[in-house]
């Protein structure tokens, strides 16, 4: 994977009301200093902080509809 000034930029997509999509692989440094990694080609990062898999999205941002 190329790094430095000549590297191709990663595409980041902000989804309204949803996650932040980042072309992978990614390595994330969290506020507590731990590192989360994903080798997937597209990574969904949680923007709402509701995810049980934070910093990765688990679709917790979606509205739940109850069928009665």
């Amino acid at each position: 994977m190329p790094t430095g000034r000549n590297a191709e930029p990663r595409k980041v997509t902000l989804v309204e009301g949803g996650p932040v999509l980042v072309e992978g692989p990614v390595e994330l440094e969290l506020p507590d200093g731990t590192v989360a990694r994903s080798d997937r080609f597209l990574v969904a990062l949680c923007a709402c902080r509701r995810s049980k898999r934070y910093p990765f999205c688990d679709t917790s941002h979606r509205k739940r509809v109850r069928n009665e």
Side-chain angles (χ1 to χ4, degrees):
M1 172 173 28
T3 58
R5 286 187 183 262
N6 296 327
E8 287 293 318
R10 296 268 182 215
K11 183 177 179 183
V12 177
T13 305
L14 304 176
V15 178
E16 187 174 341
V20 176
L21 302 176
V22 181
E23 287 183 355
V26 297
E27 181 176 285
L28 305 164
E29 184 174 338
L30 304 176
D32 66 0
T34 59
V35 175
R37 294 181 177 88
S38 175
D39 291 328
R40 297 185 68 146
F41 69 93
L42 186 64
V43 180
L45 300 177
C46 178
C48 69
R49 294 183 116 347
R50 293 183 205 145
S51 175
K52 290 181 175 68
R53 298 183 58 234
Y54 187 83
F56 302 106
C57 179
D58 68 0
T59 69
S60 292
H61 60 274
R62 294 182 184 163
K63 292 184 179 181
R64 305 288 184 215
V65 178
R66 292 186 66 171
N67 295 329
E68 293 182 37

